Amino acid sequence: EIVLTQSPTTIGASPGEKVTITCRATSSVSYIYWYQQKPGASPKPWIYDTSKLASGVPNRFSGSGSGTSYSLTINTMETEDAATYYCQQWSSSPWTFGGGTKLELK
Amino acid sequence: EVQLVESGGGLVQPGRSLKVSCAASGFTFSNYAMHWLRQVPTKGLEWVASISPSGGGTYYRDSVKGRFTISRHNAISTLYLQMDSLRSEDTATYYCATHSELGFDYWGQGVMVTGSS
């Protein structure tokens, strides 16, 4: 099973700040997928195929990486970005998720 | 508009059974593979099981293999998860979901299953 480890587990950011969340895999994966989840809601697809933004996702978000190391970056933090972000891989069954990164507004 | 609505959750004693359902609408259900995922506050998200569009192919995570059964009834656009021999570690919010190039793209609102005496 491919284990995905996200860091940090929690991060606080002020509006306008740059934020980077990393996702490391125990084996190489072809792509990483990112989801955003807000309290009381279901996860939403956010970034797919490592770097493509889902419909409606602001372009201050970006994704990058390859092999075993991936990241999600927010160029300038906004209030609405406070949420938990999960990475996920489809390369090898069982499909696995990272433990999540809670992004809080400072 | 795609809608997935889970139902049937509840409190179940360890060792007993529970069946949850997912009513789908807004898309041609019989054309799509479907999935069950679960979320435990302390453990994050887990993929549980998947089923092919026809229902002929089913796939499970190791920890539920032999205890859980995923099935579907395409005529009424409904997905099921039969959970037998429930354990306390199966306690979670269960989501049904579709997938596309975006990953797991549409999710239901989730249904809570609690395995506890």
Side-chain angles (χ1 to χ4, degrees):
Chain A
E1 172 173 325
I2 295 178
V3 175
L4 300 178
T5 303
Q6 288 182 234
S7 60
T9 51
T10 308
I11 183 170
S14 301
E17 239 184 284
K18 184 174 183 176
V19 176
T20 298
I21 298 167
T22 64
C23 176
R24 290 200 164 80
T26 52
S27 298
S28 182
V29 298
S30 302
Y31 298 101
I32 275 290
Y33 297 76
W34 294 92
Y35 300 84
Q36 182 198 66
Q37 185 177 32
K38 294 194 173 181
S42 306
K44 290 182 184 177
W46 210 245
I47 295 175
Y48 66 103
D49 288 355
T50 301
S51 60
K52 298 175 184 174
L53 303 185
S55 176
V57 175
N59 60 12
R60 60 181 178 273
F61 283 85
S62 63
S64 64
S66 65
T68 60
S69 185
Y70 293 83
S71 63
L72 176 157
T73 298
I74 307 172
N75 215 31
T76 49
M77 172 76 179
E78 297 208 5
T79 305
E80 64 189 34
D81 301 337
T84 300
Y85 294 87
Y86 294 92
C87 59
Q88 182 244 326
Q89 63 84 22
W90 280 100
S91 292
S92 171
S93 181
W95 326 127
T96 50
F97 291 82
T101 295
K102 186 175 184 180
L103 173 58
E104 298 174 328
L105 194 63
K106 242 195 245 178
Chain B
E1 181 198 359
V2 172
Q3 281 204 319
L4 299 169
V5 180
E6 300 95 339
S7 60
L11 175 64
V12 185
Q13 284 185 329
R16 303 297 291 264
S17 298
L18 189 70
K19 188 172 187 176
V20 293
S21 303
C22 167
S25 60
F27 65 105
T28 306
F29 182 74
S30 58
N31 286 353
Y32 290 85
M34 294 294 297
H35 312 274
W36 286 102
L37 303 106
R38 65 187 180 187
Q39 185 167 31
V40 178
T42 55
K43 284 189 67 181
L45 288 160
E46 278 187 343
W47 165 77
V48 175
S50 299
I51 188 166
S52 65
S54 67
T58 56
Y59 313 88
Y60 302 92
R61 67 179 301 107
D62 284 350
S63 61
V64 307
K65 227 175 264 186
R67 300 189 299 121
F68 288 14
T69 304
I70 187 172
S71 62
R72 63 193 297 158
H73 190 161
N74 283 345
I76 58 170
S77 299
T78 302
L79 177 72
Y80 304 101
L81 185 67
Q82 174 72 44
M83 298 180 281
D84 297 325
S85 304
L86 269 165
R87 303 170 180 168
S88 56
E89 56 262 36
D90 296 319
T91 294
T93 297
Y94 285 73
Y95 296 97
C96 61
T98 59
H99 85 271
S100 70
E101 61 172 355
L102 275 68
F104 294 110
D105 54 355
Y106 290 99
W107 299 60
Q109 85 287 355
V111 63
M112 187 69 204
V113 173
T114 305
S116 171
S117 50

